[in-house]
Amino acid sequence: MNRYLSLGTQVGMYKAFYGLNDNPFSIAPNPHYLFLSDRHREALAHLTYGLGETGGFVLLTGEVGTGKTTVSRSLLNQLPENTDTAFILNPSLTELELLATLCDELDIHYGESPTLKQLTDQLSQFLLANHNKGRNTVLIIDEAQHLRAEVLEQLRLLTNLETDTKKLLQVILIGQPELQQLLKRQELRQLAQRITARYHLLPLTEAEIALYVQHRLQVAGRHEPLFHRGAIKALHKYSGGIPRLINLLCERALMAGYAQSKVPIDANMVRTAAAEVFGEEIKPSSNLWWPSIAVVAASVTFVGAWYLFNQTSVLTPQEQESPSVIQQARAEPQMAQPIEAQKQPETLSSSQQVLRNAIAQSRNIDSAYAAILGVWGKVPYVGMTVCQSAQQQGLDCFQQQGNWNSLVRLNYPAVVYLQDENQQAFYGTVVSRQGDQLLMQLSEQQLWVDREWFNRHFAGTFELLWQTPDYQPKEIGRSAPVSQIQWLENALAHIQKKSPRLVSSFDDQLEQELKSFQRQHGLRADAIAGHQTLVQLNLYLSDQGPRLLESGGRS
C-alpha cells in the first residue's frame, strides 16, 4: 500500500475490505459509538445522584482519554428537559471573564465593560427567574484543573444563591487528577465541602477493551470478530486501557491488516501500530501467553501476601520489633519521609530504599486490587475486573472519597490512590492499623507508614470490598413501615455506640441523627435513607470479613 496516501484515503480503502460502513475508531466524539463500561456507568450513577435536587458541585476526574467527556455527554442526555446548560471549555479565565462567559452561554445580556458586581447581579436575577419558571440551571466546566483558585471561589459565591431546598446553580467540574489536589488547598475548603458527588475514572480493563472494540465494530457494520484474543491483550498492554489510545492503535492495526490482506488482526499488528503511534521501537514479547502467566503469578503472589498479613497481624508489639523487613519498616518512622525527592540515593537508609523501590513497583492498580482480594482470601479471575471477580465470590465493591478519618472510620482494608513527591500516581492496599500507623502493601512489600506520610501522599480516593447483608431496605423515610424505622434507629444507635430507643414513628430526633450521619459522610442531608445512605450504614453494621482494627484493639 502506498505509504504516502492520506490517512483518510487509507481508511476509505480498508472499510470495504473489512465490511465496514464507517470508521469505527475515529477519535472524534460520536454519540453513535457511545460505550459505557461498568466504571463509566458507576461514574454516571454517582454524578446523577450528586446533582439530585439540592445542587452544589459535582466532580469527575480521570487521566487524559479515559472517557470523562463520554460520561458528561451521557449525563447531559439524562438531564430533564427543563434544564438550561452552560459549557465552559476553556477555563483559563479571570473571575470577570468566567462570569461574562457564563452570561454568554445563558444568553444573558449585559452592557459594555461590566463590573464583577454587575455580572453577578445579572446572573442572580436570571437564576431566580429560571427557578420561578420551574427550570434548572447547570454549568459544566471541562479541563477544570486549569481553573484559578480565585475563580473557583467566585463560583462558590455564585452558588450561595439558594432556596430552602436547593441551589439555583449546579456546577459540574470535569478535569484531570490534578483537580483533586487543587481542591485540597486551604482557601478552597469551603468549596470542597459543597461537593455532593465525586468519581475518579480508571482505564478500561482487558475484558472491557474486548467489549469496547467489538461494540465499535458492530456500530460500524461488522458483527464478526476482527481482533484476535492476543491482539486484545496487546491493546491492553500498549494503551494502558485509555480509550483514546485504543482507537489510535486499532486504526493503525486495521491499516496494517489491510496492507497485508490479513484477517484477523493479531498481536504483531498491534505492536507495529504501537511503534508507529508512540514513535519508538517496541520489542516483541518472548511469547504471546505472558499476560496469562502474569495474572496467575499475581494471584499466587498475593494469596501469599494475604497469608503473610494474617501471620503478621497476630504478632505482639514486642514480636513486631523483630528485624524482618516488615518490622524494620515499622520500627523506623523515618521510612515514611518524602524519599522520592532525595537528590543523593546513596545516602538513603535501607528502610528508605525499600520504600522507594516499593513505590516504583506500585504504579499498576491491578496489583493493589489483587492484594485486597488476597486479604479477603479471594483471588482475581482471568478476564474479569476486580469487581466482577469479587461479585463471583460473594463480595461487592465500594468507592469512596475522603481522608484519613474516612478510611479509619469505615475500618475496612482498602485500595488507596496515592501520589509521590512528583505528583505521579501509585497504588497501595491498607491492610491493618495500629493507632496512627497503617500497614501498607505496595506491590509485594508490606510496610508500616505513619499518618503524616499517608496524608501527604493520599489522593483522596479509596476502594474497598465488603459483603452486603441479606436484609437491606430500598428507602426509609417518614412514611416507611415502623419495622424499617426501628431498624434505622437501631443502626444509627449501634454506630454511635449507644442504646437504641423504641420508636413508633420517624420522629424529629431520628431525623436529626440521620441528617448528622449523612453530613458526616458527604451525603445529601435530606433525612431520607436512600441507597447511598443505606450502603454507608450497612458498611458499619456488617460483621463479615477483615477489618483494619479488630474489635478490642487500640484506636
Side-chain angles (χ1 to χ4, degrees):
M1 183 172 64
N2 187 350
R3 283 184 170 273
Y4 298 97
L5 291 175
S6 69
L7 178 61
T9 302
Q10 293 178 29
V11 171
M13 294 171 66
Y14 78 54
K15 284 196 299 187
F17 176 74
Y18 291 116
L20 300 167
N21 52 37
D22 192 14
N23 174 16
F25 298 109
S26 169
I27 61 174
N30 185 335
H32 295 297
Y33 287 94
L34 177 64
F35 173 82
L36 293 178
S37 68
D38 289 345
R39 291 275 181 178
H40 290 90
R41 293 182 191 279
E42 189 174 357
L44 185 58
H46 273 72
L47 301 186
T48 302
Y49 173 81
L51 284 178
E53 295 182 355
T54 58
F57 287 84
V58 171
L59 180 67
L60 175 63
T61 58
E63 292 292 349
V64 176
T66 48
K68 299 186 293 295
T69 301
T70 297
V71 172
S72 64
R73 287 175 182 270
S74 300
L75 182 63
L76 282 176
N77 291 335
Q78 294 188 13
L79 292 177
E81 292 184 1
N82 63 334
T83 303
D84 291 316
T85 307
F87 286 92
I88 294 182
L89 303 178
N90 177 21
S92 299
L93 305 169
T94 64
E95 301 100 302
L96 192 66
E97 291 169 337
L98 175 85
L99 295 185
T101 303
L102 180 52
C103 285
D104 293 338
E105 286 288 312
L106 297 172
D107 200 24
I108 301 172
H109 300 289
Y110 52 88
E112 292 187 11
S113 304
T115 65
L116 203 60
K117 182 180 184 308
Q118 288 171 336
L119 290 174
T120 302
D121 289 345
Q122 290 284 78
L123 281 165
S124 298
Q125 292 172 17
F126 174 88
L127 293 173
L128 280 170
N130 236 23
H131 173 68
N132 291 333
K133 296 175 189 174
R135 299 190 63 80
N136 303 315
T137 309
V138 175
L139 168 61
I140 300 175
I141 302 180
D142 204 0
E143 300 297 333
Q145 74 274 3
H146 296 305
L147 285 170
R148 304 174 188 177
E150 56 269 21
V151 175
L152 280 167
E153 177 62 12
Q154 182 63 49
L155 271 178
R156 183 190 70 80
L157 293 174
L158 197 59
T159 60
N160 279 341
L161 194 62
E162 59 188 352
T163 67
D164 291 338
T165 58
K166 65 178 290 187
K167 299 283 186 183
L168 299 189
L169 178 65
Q170 299 170 308
V171 182
I172 302 173
L173 299 176
I174 302 172
Q176 295 171 29
E178 295 88 336
L179 178 58
Q180 295 186 25
Q181 297 303 311
L182 174 62
L183 294 174
K184 287 184 177 181
R185 291 171 61 166
Q186 181 70 10
E187 64 267 35
L188 295 176
R189 63 189 184 280
Q190 288 181 290
L191 187 151
Q193 291 170 1
R194 294 190 181 184
I195 297 175
T196 56
R198 60 178 82 198
Y199 196 88
H200 182 75
L201 268 179
L202 292 175
L204 299 180
T205 65
E206 183 180 310
E208 289 171 334
I209 290 175
L211 295 172
Y212 174 83
V213 169
Q214 190 58 29
H215 167 77
R216 296 187 75 96
L217 289 171
Q218 289 176 353
V219 173
R222 181 185 176 97
H223 295 274
E224 299 80 16
L226 183 53
F227 282 73
H228 189 273
R229 181 178 179 182
I232 298 297
K233 293 181 180 294
L235 282 172
H236 182 247
K237 175 180 179 181
Y238 297 124
S239 72
I242 305 296
R244 191 173 301 166
L245 293 180
I246 295 170
N247 285 1
L248 290 172
L249 293 175
C250 287
E251 184 78 78
R252 295 281 181 163
L254 288 180
M255 287 192 287
Y258 171 66
Q260 301 171 35
S261 298
K262 186 175 179 180
V263 174
I265 304 299
D266 60 25
N268 285 331
M269 294 179 189
V270 174
R271 181 173 56 82
T272 301
E276 293 180 6
V277 169
F278 301 127
E280 58 186 29
E281 182 180 357
I282 297 177
K283 296 180 180 180
S285 301
S286 58
N287 55 62
L288 297 180
W289 38 275
W290 157 249
S292 297
I293 294 179
V295 171
V296 174
S299 302
V300 173
T301 298
F302 288 107
V303 169
W306 168 74
Y307 175 78
L308 176 61
F309 160 64
N310 278 289
Q311 295 303 305
T312 60
S313 65
V314 298
L315 295 179
T316 66
Q318 291 76 21
E319 291 171 324
Q320 288 177 348
E321 299 303 326
S322 62
S324 68
V325 173
I326 294 177
Q327 291 6 295
Q328 180 185 10
R330 170 69 176 86
E332 297 186 20
Q334 71 270 20
M335 188 171 194
Q337 297 300 314
I339 59 172
E340 301 91 330
Q342 295 284 344
K343 300 293 185 181
Q344 303 293 334
E346 63 273 14
T347 65
L348 298 176
S349 68
S350 59
S351 58
Q352 287 177 312
Q353 188 65 53
V354 167
L355 179 58
R356 186 174 70 172
N357 292 340
I359 289 174
Q361 295 169 14
S362 302
R363 304 295 183 182
N364 190 332
I365 197 170
D366 289 342
S367 297
Y369 282 151
I372 196 170
L373 282 167
V375 170
W376 278 83
K378 312 297 183 182
V379 295
Y381 288 171
V382 177
M384 288 188 178
T385 67
V386 64
C387 289
Q388 290 169 338
S389 296
Q391 288 167 355
Q392 289 293 318
Q393 299 171 82
L395 302 176
D396 274 322
C397 293
F398 179 77
Q399 186 186 76
Q400 173 95 354
Q401 276 72 38
N403 52 25
W404 166 281
N405 292 328
S406 308
L407 181 67
V408 167
R409 191 164 53 227
L410 283 175
N411 199 32
Y412 282 81
V415 171
V416 289
Y417 294 45
L418 304 162
Q419 288 187 330
D420 62 23
E421 302 300 329
N422 297 317
Q423 303 302 305
Q424 298 298 310
F426 68 103
Y427 307 93
T429 305
V430 178
V431 295
S432 184
R433 178 172 78 92
Q434 286 193 11
D436 280 351
Q437 301 263 342
L438 294 176
L439 183 60
M440 177 86 67
Q441 180 152 331
L442 298 172
S443 186
E444 299 180 29
Q445 184 68 61
Q446 288 193 346
L447 307 162
W448 286 97
V449 299
D450 60 26
R451 181 172 183 169
E452 190 275 332
W453 183 95
F454 179 83
N455 288 337
R456 189 169 65 250
H457 291 81
F458 184 45
T461 299
F462 61 91
E463 300 188 53
L464 53 85
L465 301 179
W466 73 300
Q467 188 168 325
T468 54
D470 295 331
Y471 172 74
Q472 181 165 316
K474 291 184 178 180
E475 182 177 286
I476 303 176
R478 285 191 172 274
S479 60
V482 174
S483 61
Q484 293 186 4
I485 295 173
Q486 184 65 60
W487 180 91
L488 180 60
E489 164 67 25
N490 295 347
L492 290 169
H494 175 81
I495 294 168
Q496 296 167 9
K497 295 181 171 59
K498 66 179 187 179
S499 299
R501 301 175 300 134
L502 181 62
V503 295
S504 58
S505 64
F506 199 119
D507 59 18
D508 291 341
Q509 182 176 338
L510 180 56
E511 176 179 327
Q512 292 307 314
E513 289 176 349
L514 178 56
K515 282 185 174 180
S516 176
F517 177 85
Q518 291 173 321
R519 282 191 293 268
Q520 186 181 28
H521 293 83
L523 301 168
R524 185 172 62 180
D526 56 2
I528 298 175
H531 175 71
Q532 294 292 328
T533 300
L534 290 170
V535 168
Q536 286 280 359
L537 287 168
N538 278 305
L539 282 168
Y540 288 106
L541 299 178
S542 174
D543 59 0
Q544 301 297 314
R547 293 295 186 271
L548 295 181
L549 187 68
E550 298 297 339
S551 58
R554 60 188 178 92
S555 60

